[in-house]
Amino acid sequence: MIRAYLESIGRSAQRFVEAAGLLTIMLMHAVVLVFTPPVKFRNIFKQMEFVGVQSLFVVVLTGSFTGMVLALQGYNALKRFGAESLVGPTVALSMARELGPVLTGLMVTGRAGSAMATELGTMRVTEQIDALFTMAVNPVKYLVVPRIIAGVLMFPLLTIVTDFVGVVGGYVIGVHLLGINPGVYVGRTIDFVQVSDIMTGLYKSTVFGLITTMVACFNGFYTTGGAEGVGRAATASVVTASVMILVSDYIMSSFMI
C-alpha cells in the first residue's frame, strides 16, 4: 500500500515537471516569435477586442460593487476610531494596489481564459492544429502569440477601468449614502494615493495577463481525449491560472511594499 502511494506521488511529480517544462518551452518560443516577422496585427487586434472590450461589462460591474462594499465596510471600521475621512484613501488604495488587478485577473480568467482553452482544445482534438503544421504555419505564432500580446496589453487597461469605477462607487456610497463631505473625501484621496500605488497594480496586472493567457493556451494546445478533454482543459485553465494569480500576487506584494 505504501509502495502504491509513493508510486502515485512519483507519477504526479513527473507529470508536474513535464507540464512545467512544456509550459516554459512554449513561453520561450512565444517570446522569440513576438519579435519575429511577420506580425499578424489583425489577429492581435481580434484577441485584444475579445480579451478587453468584451470583458468591460463584467469588469465594470465587479469594480463598482467592490468599491461600494469597501466604502461601507471601511466606514463601519474607521468610524470606531473617528477616522471617517479616511474612507476615500482606503477605497482607492485597496483598489489600486490589490483588489483592482486581482479581481480583474480572476474575472477575465474565468471569462476569456476558459474560452481560449476551449477554442484551442477544440482545434487540437479536431486536428486543425495539425493542419497548420501541414501548411507550414507555425501554430504557436498564429494562435498563441496574439493571445499573449492581447493579455499583456489589455489586463492593465482593464485594471485601470476597475480602479476607476471602484473609486467612483466608493465615492457615491461614501458621500451620498454615508454623508461624508465630498471635499474631504476627494482631498484625502489625492493626498494619500500616489502614482507608485497605481503603477504597482498595473505591474501586477501585466503579469496576471501573461499568466492567464499562457496557462489557457498551454492547456488548450496540449488537449487530449476528445470533447471530454476540452472540458478538462477549460476547467484546469481557470483553476490553475486563478491559483497562480493569487500566489504571484503575494510574491509581488512582498517585494513592492
Side-chain angles (χ1 to χ4, degrees), residues 76-142:
N76 181 46
L78 294 172
K79 185 179 180 180
R80 303 177 186 184
F81 303 98
E84 298 93 330
S85 61
L86 297 179
V87 171
T90 300
V91 173
L93 287 172
S94 299
M95 293 299 302
R97 294 186 66 91
E98 286 296 330
L99 293 180
V102 172
L103 290 178
T104 300
L106 294 177
M107 297 305 294
V108 179
T109 294
R111 196 203 70 81
S114 60
M116 289 182 187
T118 301
E119 183 179 359
L120 294 184
T122 302
M123 294 181 69
R124 169 63 74 182
V125 299
T126 56
E127 300 182 351
Q128 295 180 51
I129 293 179
D130 297 330
L132 291 176
F133 274 115
T134 304
M135 294 184 294
V137 176
N138 190 325
V140 175
K141 183 172 181 61
Y142 185 75

Side-chain angles (χ1 to χ4, degrees), residues 7-125:
E7 289 178 352
S8 176
I9 295 177
R11 286 192 295 268
S12 298
Q14 182 182 4
R15 287 194 296 269
F16 174 79
V17 172
E18 290 176 353
L22 289 173
L23 180 63
T24 303
I25 292 172
M26 176 180 281
L27 176 60
M28 296 298 103
H29 193 188
V31 169
V32 172
L33 292 175
V34 166
F35 303 100
T36 303
V39 179
K40 302 292 184 180
F41 288 104
R42 182 176 181 180
N43 292 344
I44 294 174
F45 290 143
K46 180 181 178 181
Q47 294 302 321
M48 290 174 66
E49 189 269 340
F50 173 72
V51 174
V53 177
Q54 295 186 26
S55 298
L56 275 176
F57 176 75
V58 67
V59 162
V60 169
L61 196 65
T62 302
S64 59
F65 280 97
T66 300
M68 293 178 185
V69 171
L70 280 175
L72 285 173
Q73 297 292 352
Y75 181 83
N76 181 46
L78 294 172
K79 185 179 180 180
R80 303 177 186 184
F81 303 98
E84 298 93 330
S85 61
L86 297 179
V87 171
T90 300
V91 173
L93 287 172
S94 299
M95 293 299 302
R97 294 186 66 91
E98 286 296 330
L99 293 180
V102 172
L103 290 178
T104 300
L106 294 177
M107 297 305 294
V108 179
T109 294
R111 196 203 70 81
S114 60
M116 289 182 187
T118 301
E119 183 179 359
L120 294 184
T122 302
M123 294 181 69
R124 169 63 74 182
V125 299

Side-chain angles (χ1 to χ4, degrees), residues 133-202:
F133 274 115
T134 304
M135 294 184 294
V137 176
N138 190 325
V140 175
K141 183 172 181 61
Y142 185 75
L143 299 173
V144 177
V145 169
R147 288 170 169 81
I148 293 177
I149 294 176
V152 170
L153 293 179
M154 297 309 298
F155 267 62
L157 296 179
L158 291 172
T159 299
I160 292 174
V161 174
T162 305
D163 294 344
F164 176 76
V165 297
V167 171
V168 171
Y171 175 87
V172 171
I173 296 299
V175 172
H176 296 286
L177 182 63
L178 302 176
I180 301 175
N181 184 281
V184 173
Y185 190 100
V186 175
R188 284 299 185 96
T189 300
I190 295 175
D191 290 339
F192 282 92
V193 179
Q194 302 176 356
V195 176
S196 60
D197 298 316
I198 300 174
M199 294 306 299
T200 296
L202 297 184

Side-chain angles (χ1 to χ4, degrees), residues 232-253:
R232 288 197 303 267
T235 302
S237 297
V238 174
V239 174
T240 304
S242 299
V243 171
M244 290 182 66
I245 284 173
L246 296 175
V247 172
S248 62
D249 175 59
Y250 171 78
I251 295 174
M252 288 186 288
S253 296

Side-chain angles (χ1 to χ4, degrees), residues 194-215:
Q194 302 176 356
V195 176
S196 60
D197 298 316
I198 300 174
M199 294 306 299
T200 296
L202 297 184
Y203 294 146
K204 290 181 178 181
S205 62
T206 302
V207 176
F208 298 162
L210 178 62
I211 289 173
T212 296
T213 50
M214 273 305 306
V215 171

